[in-house]
Amino acid sequence: MKVQIYVAAHKPYQMPQDPTYRPIFVGAAIHGGAPQNYQPDNVGDNISASNPNFNELTAMYWIWKNCHADVKGLNQYRRYLSEAPKRKLAGILSMTEIESLLQQYDVIVPKKRHYYIESNYSHYVHAHHREPLDMMRTVISERHAAYLDDFDQLMHQTSAHMFNMMIMAGPKFDDYAKWVFDILFAVCDRIDIADYDVQEARVFGYLSEFLLDVWINHNQLKYVEVPVMYMEKQQLPAKAYNLLKRKFFPQAAKRTHF
């Protein structure tokens, strides 16, 4: 069985030595090539040039269209799915662990992120422009109406599997990616982001973080959560402060990513 987990990165960074993991350089069409031993996302069928708007999804698209492994997955250079997060790269999921989990579950996902005082919807609109999220609901209602109740339920919940990180069998990964991009490309055609700043222009990456749970729940897939290993220190007090600031002082300057 071929297991290939890609690690999305936009710059050179410490990477796993395990050949199960391969770095993929996102936005290669813009940055002018990839570091040595990184898979560039601008070869074959790709959307590399759209990286400023799609973030790590240019890697997901490339994996969907160009990787033919039996098991596919996506991690990020600063975050990994891990069984032993304190061990850093030594604790990320091994091929044996991945194969064992997928014998029991359909999808491996990170532990949910909880917002507690915010629904997923209110958290998003306090941090980002409201229009794209509302438009995504409209697109789902028109193109994938069977998923609409699942989407609405998720919007009212206070937690979700975030980060666009997942591991699953290749055919399932491809089915998921096909569904995701059908929705996001339709949203892209209907909204104008010309005036968005650099952070807000990454809108399709933000929107997509809600779609994994919608797809899993609707298709009644069995998933397993594993911890997220962070390569860098988490600024938890600053994140908590800014969450409260966005909620109670929505007109104040926003900071959403650290």
Side-chain angles (χ1 to χ4, degrees):
M1 177 183 290
K2 174 68 171 177
V3 178
Q4 191 68 77
I5 313 302
Y6 286 88
V7 182
H10 66 273
K11 62 182 180 180
Y13 202 84
Q14 182 182 4
M15 289 290 168
Q17 297 301 306
D18 184 343
T20 302
Y21 292 83
R22 185 176 185 189
I24 180 167
F25 192 64
V26 296
I30 300 167
H31 301 306
Q36 187 175 6
N37 298 323
Y38 283 53
Q39 170 63 55
D41 72 345
N42 66 334
V43 297
D45 192 344
N46 72 88
I47 57 169
S48 178
S50 297
N51 181 257
N53 308 127
F54 282 81
N55 296 5
E56 65 275 357
L57 294 187
T58 62
M60 179 186 286
Y61 186 95
W62 190 93
I63 297 166
W64 168 33
K65 293 294 188 177
N66 300 283
C67 173
H68 306 292
D70 301 298
V71 173
K72 302 183 186 183
L74 181 62
N75 283 197
Q76 299 176 20
Y77 75 101
R78 294 187 300 172
R79 303 185 186 103
Y80 290 82
L81 299 174
S82 174
E83 283 289 1
K86 291 184 179 180
R87 296 178 59 208
K88 295 296 184 180
L89 288 178
I92 63 177
L93 293 177
S94 68
M95 183 175 69
T96 300
E97 289 169 332
I98 291 168
E99 290 177 341
S100 177
L101 288 172
L102 290 180
Q103 288 177 1
Q104 306 169 65
Y105 302 95
D106 297 307
V107 189
I108 304 171
V109 295
K111 287 187 179 295
K112 284 186 176 181
R113 170 160 281 192
H114 295 267
Y115 298 112
Y116 301 107
I117 62 171
E118 294 255 57
S119 68
N120 288 319
Y121 182 85
S122 67
H123 177 264
Y124 185 94
V125 300
H126 286 151
H128 305 292
H129 295 298
R130 181 190 303 264
E131 180 195 9
L133 185 57
D134 290 345
M135 182 58 72
M136 186 162 75
R137 184 186 187 279
T138 298
V139 167
I140 291 172
S141 72
E142 295 174 358
R143 300 175 71 91
H144 301 279
Y147 288 80
L148 187 60
D149 285 347
D150 303 279
F151 178 81
D152 287 342
Q153 289 175 20
L154 183 70
M155 289 296 97
H156 285 92
Q157 293 170 3
T158 58
S159 62
H161 296 109
M162 306 299 279
F163 307 135
N164 285 322
M165 292 165 55
M166 75 293 291
I167 301 172
M168 63 186 94
K172 281 191 175 67
F173 187 101
D174 294 347
D175 287 345
Y176 175 61
K178 180 180 179 180
W179 180 78
V180 165
F181 286 106
D182 182 76
I183 292 169
L184 295 181
F185 288 159
V187 175
C188 184
D189 287 341
R190 299 189 192 190
I191 63 173
D192 183 1
I193 64 172
D195 293 331
Y196 285 14
D197 62 24
V198 172
Q199 178 173 288
E200 286 301 301
R202 299 161 63 187
V203 56
F204 303 108
Y206 302 146
L207 291 176
S208 64
E209 291 188 280
F210 293 126
L211 293 178
L212 181 59
D213 279 347
V214 173
W215 184 74
I216 286 174
N217 293 336
H218 180 78
N219 291 292
Q220 299 181 326
L221 299 179
K222 191 176 180 182
Y223 66 84
V224 58
E225 295 181 345
V226 299
V228 176
M229 184 277 286
Y230 295 92
M231 291 291 288
E232 299 175 359
K233 184 178 180 180
Q234 296 302 290
Q235 301 180 45
L236 297 180
K239 289 183 177 182
Y241 168 76
N242 278 276
L243 185 151
L244 294 170
K245 181 180 176 182
R246 293 193 302 268
K247 179 176 177 63
F248 295 110
F249 302 97
Q251 301 307 315
K254 298 177 181 179
R255 188 181 181 196
T256 59
H257 295 271
F258 298 81

